[in-house]
Amino acid sequence: MALNEDVLRLPGDPLPEGCVLRLYSMRMCPYAQRARLVLAAKDIKYDRVNIDLNNKPGWFFDVNPNGEVPVIIHNGNHVYQSLVCAEYIEEAFPTPKLYNTDPVDRAWEKIYYGHWNSKGIPAFYSLMKAGCLDPEQTKRLTEQITVMENFLQKKKTPYFSGNKLGFADYMIWPWFERMPMLGEITGFQMTKEVFPHLMAWIDKMWQDKAAQECKIDSKLFVDHYSKYRTGKPDFTIGAQKDNIVHETLENLDGLRDPSTRFRQSKN
């Protein structure tokens, strides 16, 4: 359970009562959502601090020199990068266990979300930036979703982690939660006829307590990504904040203007 506020708190500030760690996040970020899903699945109470990625304080680069979320502060230490943060939570708080215990199954989990990380996510953002059913980008994303469909078909289990939902499913889920939003922007659709195993998995994921706790209002999704794809993202959407700063989006995989990654001040 997250204590969710948009008030910036420093890494060394005391945690609110009952919280065991601090997560620097951004409300719409699928990478940060990975950590949030694992925290929710383990019913960990934590302090969630949303960062305006267009207007990052200088001290944020001390905990992540890339200026990105998520970042975890725990017991005076910090870790960053989405998979690293999720793995850290799993290992620091091993109950309930989300990893597969069998080494072969665990290796295949990494293959599943590793493929989505390297191939599926860039294809997702390429189509989103196109803003329509661009033939090349539609084909690219469809091919990568087909790979994920075939993974599930060959595994013959309802989840990527096996017969019960686990770590791999949470690492893949944020982008499939966003598929309806992608459809509103581009017209892209997934159907049960083409992707029966994935669509059954999506239905089961929506029944999960952690997925429900971490879901974001679909209207906010569309509002955020409609601006994001045009190069003027609002990273404070859904929050009560003034002086929103817009920046240029340059990359196809969802990364922002590289100049915003560098420390801008000593604040």
Side-chain angles (χ1 to χ4, degrees), residues 124-140:
F124 177 96
Y125 285 117
S126 293
L127 182 57
M128 182 179 69
K129 187 174 183 182
C132 64
L133 287 177
D134 174 85
E136 181 180 352
Q137 301 308 331
T138 300
K139 179 176 182 288
R140 179 184 178 192

Side-chain angles (χ1 to χ4, degrees), residues 54-263:
N54 284 334
N55 192 24
K56 289 168 280 196
W59 56 258
F60 189 64
F61 292 88
D62 293 331
V63 293
N64 185 347
N66 297 321
E68 298 171 339
V69 294
V71 176
I72 287 175
I73 310 294
H74 181 226
N75 290 339
N77 300 305
H78 66 276
V79 295
Y80 57 89
Q81 295 181 0
S82 67
L83 289 175
V84 173
C85 286
E87 290 168 349
Y88 177 83
I89 297 163
E90 169 68 3
E91 293 166 9
F93 304 93
T95 305
K97 194 172 187 65
L98 299 179
Y99 280 167
N100 260 302
T101 55
D102 181 86
V104 174
D105 289 338
R106 176 71 186 123
W108 272 99
E109 279 189 317
K110 293 179 180 179
I111 291 170
Y112 299 147
Y113 61 75
H115 177 85
W116 185 250
N117 232 39
S118 63
K119 301 293 186 180
I121 294 174
F124 177 96
Y125 285 117
S126 293
L127 182 57
M128 182 179 69
K129 187 174 183 182
C132 64
L133 287 177
D134 174 85
E136 181 180 352
Q137 301 308 331
T138 300
K139 179 176 182 288
R140 179 184 178 192
L141 179 58
T142 300
E143 286 174 348
Q144 300 314 318
I145 294 176
T146 300
V147 172
M148 303 305 288
E149 169 73 14
N150 291 339
F151 279 151
L152 267 184
Q153 182 180 16
K154 292 176 182 177
K155 190 169 179 59
K156 298 180 180 179
T157 60
Y159 300 103
F160 287 99
S161 290
N163 287 316
K164 67 177 185 177
L165 194 156
F167 190 85
D169 301 287
Y170 288 132
M171 298 304 99
I172 297 165
W173 172 244
W175 289 269
F176 284 89
E177 180 183 357
R178 286 156 174 76
M179 286 295 174
M181 169 275 302
L182 183 67
E184 289 200 38
I185 293 174
T186 68
F188 183 83
Q189 298 292 329
M190 290 179 60
T191 67
K192 291 182 179 180
E193 290 73 24
V194 180
F195 304 112
H197 297 86
L198 274 175
M199 295 303 290
W201 172 75
I202 288 171
D203 287 344
K204 287 183 178 297
M205 288 298 296
W206 275 125
Q207 298 172 33
D208 177 61
K209 173 180 173 290
Q212 285 293 321
E213 181 177 324
C214 297
K215 72 177 181 180
I216 301 171
D217 181 87
S218 59
K219 184 179 184 303
L220 290 182
F221 266 160
V222 175
D223 288 349
H224 173 69
Y225 282 101
S226 293
K227 294 178 180 179
Y228 193 89
R229 62 162 295 274
T230 63
K232 295 182 178 180
D234 174 6
F235 293 112
T236 67
I237 197 164
Q240 297 299 319
K241 285 193 174 184
D242 299 322
N243 301 322
I244 294 171
V245 178
H246 295 300
E247 61 174 71
T248 303
L249 176 67
E250 293 188 349
N251 307 47
L252 289 180
D253 61 357
L255 299 178
R256 299 170 304 285
D257 180 347
S259 68
T260 66
R261 293 184 167 202
F262 303 115
R263 185 189 300 268

